[in-house]
Amino acid sequence: MSELPNPDEFLAKIEHKPSPRGWMDTPVEIRKGIACHAAKPERLETVGFPNPRDWSCYDEDWKLPENWQEILHKGFKERLDRFRSIKVFMDICVRCGACADKCHFFIGSGDPKNMPVVRAELLRSIYRNDFTTAGKILGLFGKKVKKSYGAREMTLEVLKEWWYYLFQCTECRRCSVFCPYGIDTAEITIFGRELLNLIGLNIDWVAAPVAFCYRTGNHLGIQPHAYKDMIDFFTDEIEDVAGIRVEPHFMKEKADILFITPSGDVFADPGTFTCMGYMMLFHFLQEKYGLEITWSTYASEGGNFGFFTSHEMMKRLNAKMYAEAKRLGVKWILGGECGHMWRVVHQYMDTMNGPADFLEEPVSPITGTKFENARSTKMVHITEFVADLIKHGKLDLDPSRNDHLKVTYHDSCNPARGMGLLEEPRYVIKNVCNHFYEMPANTIREQTFCCGSGAGLNAGENMELRMQGALPRLNAVKYVHEKHGVNMLSCICAIDRAAFPTALEYWLPEVDNCGVHELVANALILPGEKKRTVDLRNEPLPGMEDEDAE
Amino acid sequence: MNISYMYSLVAVIVLFLVAYVGVMLPGGEVFFGIIIPYLALVIFILGFINRIIDWARSPVPFRIPTTCGQEKSLPWIKPNSIDNPTTIGGVIIRMFLEIVFFRSLFRNTKMALKEGDKLSYEWEKWLWLFSLAFHWTFFVVLFRHLRFFSEPVPALVELVAKLDGFLQIGLPELRISGVVLLAALIFLFLRRIYIPQMRYISLASDYFPLFLIIGIAFTGILMRYFTKVDIVGVKEFTMSLATFKPHITEGIGSIFYVHLFFVSVLLAYFPFSKLMHLGGIFMSPTRNMVNNNRFKRHINPWNYPVKVHTYEAYEDEFREKMVEAGLRVDKPLAAKPPEEPEEKE
């Protein structure tokens, strides 16, 4: 963070006026603070990806395979044949510009190539040149004519531009909400990164989690014993807060439900508080209703960085969820708070790794509610599950324990725009908190802004980029902070919880970040608990400020 | 000087001259009046179909609608059945609103950074309004033109023409659609020139159709209100085209052929250009799919088996550590060789 200017200077620098020259005449300049480190060779070796080597994006030579153009061309063609989305999206954009100022990276940086339309044009320019009749005919009239048509040849310069800007998109789909044809830049970026992957152009912040997840079951490379250690540690923490010793199950055969959540929540604050929240909730449900929910160290990752690499890698990592559910013989799967995890689970999992006919159609054994909307995938979102419990009065809640918090809610991109999970988390929050305030309508629900660090961009070396990307979201938080005194930004995404603390510290240090289930656990009255004087963060509850002294 | 827009402008002027002069040459009327229009129509139809088939040939491996509203989940939470449709009916309504009223474009806002640190998203419906005006009036103009290709003219065409001229100004009476069409086109053009972001992204292929359609509207208006083209002669000629018994009617005038040539160029250009968004919008997977992902399995025709890291392989690697941590394992640890006594902490 030390290399960043202060926020005022940062804002003063943002200029939304692109150069009068066209984008093809503006050469790419790969900048420190924006670009991410290249993937280390061992990451790629673990999962058998092409062209593992040491390289750096700042070097002249990227150590590409000799026939890299041919590989890309072939890869492009294959994917045009496999994905109608790509084909249609390559052809039908009219460049109306509606998407331009919808991207958090464009808003926060002013870099015109971060306008979603240009990000797509980077690929379209090659598509026009290589795959369209018009491009081939106009090409005969020379480069200038070709360029005015938006076509160009694939060169190293173009490749570097691809790489630079495809790793400045968080696949949040906000632009696609505004596009009159529904052109989805996430789809373009997924496709583009998949092509780059073919010649070994990955970033380490994506490739390392992929390699870890493949081997150890989670992105952070936490081995089974360490994973259990961490959960045990939370058990102690919970005991300090609530005076209750929870006993989480691990890989319990024939448990009712398998629970899968991002490993980020086991690893770092404030996700850890959300993780403790899950544990307390599950304890409550077991004590009160005899419901057995098990964790797994093999399927210890809800997220899927394979999604940021290639469709194939996404499938390879995702396979563990069903495999583990089958091995353990559970009835169905419950998924924790995570953004892109839920895009994968909701829109890809059943297609890729289903049908999950060995599982039962999800029913809440406590309320009898059938989760009809998950009857094929057999995976229920925890806020769907908990909203149902609350609706039926099955949780004992004391929302005043969150009275020290004025909460707003950030819709994570993927559950919002790749699923439509909007009301469930709000219902939960409103039942466990007394002070809830919405951010302005243009910045929530389907129009929500990304945290700025999704799709594998949550690295340390690209901090300037991340702060650019976080600006629109946190500017809206700032609005409710100033208007209502909001001091807690809640969310249902582990990437958010990894990204926001840093971004808040920079843009809005007065506000903190939490997961929804941290709030739930604060309010949840556990059977036989001691008098609660502190919240999960060990901060005194309202009216209990003096109790600490005891 | 913007090269993209100059190229397009020059191209349209050249097209104008080609038709204007060409039609005066011997055989010019047959060439520009009969051969080119038929050829253009054939290119349009075959090109359009070919493009649609080409798109349709690629499968939709995943169900990826962009959800713009509440999902259908618990019975007491009201789903947004249009912006997050779970039924074909919902998708049809969503697509209808998208195609007929440009619903997504209606969401458009304009971002501005105010007072140095406040981002705002302001009302911006001009793009939506003028796009809608352009498409609708273009459609009305096109529809009105059916009167040149039908005998007797269908009542609906007459009605639309009548409504279009309801202001009853001038003689022949002013048709609003033509004027609005031209105005909308000029707005869309100026937008590309004056908004820096738009200028940055606009290509020759964005300006060309604009100029071309401006040319069509302009020559049309010129004929109707100013040069007062021989409408009976035109109808005789267009009917001959429509009935596939083409013959030239003398004395229609060059401007008519320019008009017809512009239309022909537009038709022939259509399938190879962004204008194909007309067909493409129907095939956009983020809009035309049902968000029923978790309750109805979507099939990917090319789904292939992949290499995964199995639980067995995982346990094999970590078994010892797992046992030590008290985690259940499927296969027990092999008995340890005696020379390695277990260490105790």
Side-chain angles (χ1 to χ4, degrees), chain A residues 11 16 18-19 21 23 26 80-85 87-89 91-98 101-102 106-107 112-113 115 118 121 144 148-150 173 176-182 184 187 214-216 223-225 228 250-251 253 297-298 311-312 315-316 319 327-328 342 346-348 350-352 354-355 371-377 379 384 387 391 416-424 427 442 446 449 472 475 478, chain B residues 3-4 7 51 54-78 84 98 104-105 107-111 113 116-119 121-122 127 191-192 196-206 272-274 276-277 280-281 283-287 291 293-300 302-312 314-315 317-318 321-322 325-328 330:
Chain A
L11 282 163
H16 291 108
S19 101
R21 288 191 301 170
W23 63 267
T26 333
L80 286 171
D81 292 340
R82 273 190 193 164
F83 295 92
R84 186 181 303 164
S85 54
K87 223 176 198 175
V88 172
F89 294 164
D91 281 328
I92 66 172
C93 176
V94 301
R95 288 163 295 280
C96 72
D101 58 1
K102 308 304 181 285
F106 175 64
I107 296 174
K113 288 185 189 170
M115 295 193 280
V118 179
E121 289 289 309
K144 251 189 167 171
S148 73
Y149 168 70
R173 305 184 110 196
S176 108
V177 169
F178 295 89
C179 176
Y181 317 119
D184 183 6
E187 201 67 3
Y214 190 69
R215 183 174 151 241
T216 68
Q223 299 187 6
H225 56 293
K228 173 146 191 305
F250 286 97
M251 299 184 276
E253 276 187 307
T297 61
Y298 170 64
H311 286 88
E312 182 175 313
K315 183 178 172 178
R316 289 171 72 185
R327 184 179 77 90
L328 296 176
W342 272 97
H346 184 75
Q347 298 199 325
Y348 295 89
D350 200 7
T351 300
M352 292 184 307
F371 295 98
E372 301 256 359
N373 65 323
R375 66 172 175 263
S376 176
T377 301
M379 188 148 175
E384 294 170 339
K391 181 75 178 176
R417 288 183 283 259
M419 188 173 175
L421 188 88
L422 307 174
E423 289 304 331
E424 296 84 347
Y427 181 81
N442 284 322
E446 75 278 5
F449 276 109
N475 209 259
K478 192 170 175 212
Chain B
I3 194 157
S4 296
Y7 271 148
R51 186 53 74 90
D54 185 44
W55 284 334
R57 252 206 323 258
S58 297
V60 181
F62 300 105
R63 200 187 276 135
I64 50 162
T66 307
T67 58
C68 299
Q70 172 61 36
E71 67 166 354
K72 180 177 186 289
S73 63
L74 298 163
W76 46 273
I77 294 177
K78 193 176 172 297
N84 193 339
E98 197 68 83
S104 293
L105 207 52
R107 293 194 183 98
N108 193 29
T109 53
K110 187 175 178 299
M111 175 272 305
L113 188 56
D117 69 342
K118 290 184 177 56
L119 284 169
Y121 311 95
E122 294 162 6
L127 173 60
R191 212 180 144 258
R192 288 199 184 271
Q197 292 156 23
M198 292 305 301
R199 199 170 48 220
Y200 189 75
I201 61 175
S202 294
L203 301 171
S205 43
D206 297 316
F272 309 100
S273 70
K274 68 168 191 177
M276 274 308 289
H277 66 266
I281 184 161
M283 304 185 79
S284 178
T286 59
R287 288 291 186 275
N291 183 38
N293 291 54
R294 273 188 293 154
F295 54 90
K296 194 166 185 308
R297 184 165 180 249
H298 180 79
I299 304 295
N300 171 4
W302 51 260
N303 196 18
Y304 55 88
V306 294
K307 190 169 175 238
V308 298
H309 194 62
T310 61
Y311 177 77
E312 290 70 35
Y314 170 85
E315 192 186 293
E317 182 177 353
F318 297 114
K321 289 168 172 168
M322 289 172 79
L327 291 168
R328 192 182 65 81
D330 280 355

Side-chain angles (χ1 to χ4, degrees), chain A residues 237-376:
Chain A
E237 295 280 295
I238 292 168
E239 193 169 10
D240 286 349
V241 171
I244 298 261
R245 189 126 191 110
V246 303
E247 283 170 4
H249 301 291
F250 286 97
M251 299 184 276
K252 187 172 169 63
E253 276 187 307
K254 304 274 175 257
D256 295 299
I257 295 168
L258 168 64
F259 178 65
I260 303 177
T261 200
S263 61
D265 284 342
V266 186
F267 184 70
D269 295 350
T272 49
F273 306 120
T274 300
C275 191
M276 287 158 64
Y278 299 141
M279 293 165 66
M280 290 163 77
L281 173 71
F282 299 161
H283 176 81
F284 177 94
L285 298 176
Q286 167 131 31
E287 290 295 299
K288 240 181 139 168
Y289 307 108
L291 186 69
E292 271 185 353
I293 300 178
T294 185
W295 300 66
S296 161
T297 61
Y298 170 64
S300 51
E301 183 57 67
N304 192 328
F305 273 46
F307 186 44
F308 309 140
T309 311
S310 69
H311 286 88
E312 182 175 313
M313 198 63 230
M314 162 168 60
K315 183 178 172 178
R316 289 171 72 185
L317 296 183
N318 175 264
K320 289 188 177 127
M321 290 194 182
Y322 278 153
E324 184 67 341
K326 190 174 186 178
R327 184 179 77 90
L328 296 176
V330 297
K331 296 193 178 88
W332 49 274
I333 310 172
L334 182 67
E337 297 180 14
C338 181
H340 73 274
M341 155 183 174
W342 272 97
R343 172 109 126 98
V344 173
V345 167
H346 184 75
Q347 298 199 325
Y348 295 89
M349 177 162 83
D350 200 7
T351 300
M352 292 184 307
N353 289 315
D357 41 18
F358 45 87
L359 296 174
E360 293 175 15
E361 289 182 16
V363 175
S364 171
I366 299 164
T367 63
T369 300
K370 267 190 177 173
F371 295 98
E372 301 256 359
N373 65 323
R375 66 172 175 263
S376 176

Side-chain angles (χ1 to χ4, degrees), chain A residues 316-545:
Chain A
R316 289 171 72 185
L317 296 183
N318 175 264
K320 289 188 177 127
M321 290 194 182
Y322 278 153
E324 184 67 341
K326 190 174 186 178
R327 184 179 77 90
L328 296 176
V330 297
K331 296 193 178 88
W332 49 274
I333 310 172
L334 182 67
E337 297 180 14
C338 181
H340 73 274
M341 155 183 174
W342 272 97
R343 172 109 126 98
V344 173
V345 167
H346 184 75
Q347 298 199 325
Y348 295 89
M349 177 162 83
D350 200 7
T351 300
M352 292 184 307
N353 289 315
D357 41 18
F358 45 87
L359 296 174
E360 293 175 15
E361 289 182 16
V363 175
S364 171
I366 299 164
T367 63
T369 300
K370 267 190 177 173
F371 295 98
E372 301 256 359
N373 65 323
R375 66 172 175 263
S376 176
T377 301
K378 278 110 175 169
M379 188 148 175
V380 176
H381 192 285
I382 190 151
T383 61
E384 294 170 339
F385 179 65
V386 170
D388 175 65
L389 290 172
I390 294 175
K391 181 75 178 176
H392 287 85
K394 299 295 182 189
L395 298 185
D396 303 329
L397 298 168
D398 176 5
S400 73
R401 289 189 200 162
N402 281 316
D403 275 356
H404 54 315
L405 304 176
K406 292 194 170 178
V407 180
T408 190
Y409 173 68
H410 159 72
D411 290 274
S412 309
C413 319
N414 286 295
R417 288 183 283 259
M419 188 173 175
L421 188 88
L422 307 174
E423 289 304 331
E424 296 84 347
R426 285 180 169 76
Y427 181 81
V428 173
I429 294 168
K430 286 177 191 165
N431 276 283
V432 299
C433 297
N434 288 321
H435 308 292
F436 175 70
Y437 304 93
E438 289 278 16
M439 286 180 270
N442 284 322
T443 69
I444 56 169
R445 296 176 187 265
E446 75 278 5
Q447 297 198 24
T448 188
F449 276 109
C450 181
C451 63
S453 301
L457 303 185
N458 200 16
E461 64 273 16
N462 61 340
M463 201 50 83
E464 187 180 342
L465 176 78
R466 287 178 51 192
M467 295 307 110
Q468 291 170 352
L471 173 63
R473 166 41 74 223
L474 296 190
N475 209 259
V477 178
K478 192 170 175 212
Y479 177 82
V480 282
H481 168 69
E482 284 168 1
K483 194 169 171 195
H484 305 293
V486 162
N487 58 10
M488 186 56 87
L489 170 62
S490 67
C491 63
I492 48 164
C493 172
I495 300 278
D496 284 340
R497 287 190 284 276
F500 277 141
T502 319
L504 282 164
E505 195 191 327
Y506 183 74
W507 286 117
L508 194 59
E510 303 84 3
V511 176
D512 224 323
N513 169 233
C514 75
V516 169
H517 282 81
E518 177 184 343
L519 301 172
V520 170
N522 273 342
L524 187 67
I525 303 167
L526 295 173
E529 68 177 14
K530 71 172 188 187
K531 184 179 172 197
R532 300 261 279 264
T533 56
V534 290
D535 65 11
L536 293 192
R537 301 184 180 201
N538 255 312
E539 279 161 24
L541 292 175
M544 301 283 180
E545 288 81 358

Side-chain angles (χ1 to χ4, degrees), chain A residues 183-223:
Chain A
I183 295 172
D184 183 6
T185 306
E187 201 67 3
I188 307 263
T189 298
I190 291 166
F191 162 70
R193 289 189 184 184
E194 195 165 308
L195 289 181
L196 294 178
N197 181 52
L198 294 175
I199 51 173
L201 295 180
N202 312 68
I203 63 168
D204 206 54
W205 224 82
V206 172
V210 164
F212 285 142
C213 192
Y214 190 69
R215 183 174 151 241
T216 68
N218 58 70
H219 289 152
L220 295 160
I222 308 167
Q223 299 187 6

Side-chain angles (χ1 to χ4, degrees), chain B residues 160-227:
Chain B
V160 167
K162 205 166 166 195
L163 287 175
D164 202 3
F166 85 102
L167 285 181
Q168 303 198 332
I169 307 170
L171 195 77
E173 66 193 17
L174 183 73
R175 296 263 156 87
I176 299 156
S177 58
V179 178
V180 175
L181 173 63
L182 202 55
L185 283 163
I186 289 168
F187 172 85
L188 293 174
F189 166 66
L190 291 178
R191 212 180 144 258
R192 288 199 184 271
I193 294 292
Y194 283 111
I195 302 176
Q197 292 156 23
M198 292 305 301
R199 199 170 48 220
Y200 189 75
I201 61 175
S202 294
L203 301 171
S205 43
D206 297 316
Y207 293 110
F208 179 67
L210 277 177
F211 290 137
L212 196 59
I213 301 171
I214 287 174
I216 291 169
F218 176 73
T219 48
I221 287 172
L222 204 62
M223 278 189 289
R224 182 175 166 85
Y225 304 105
F226 299 99
T227 67

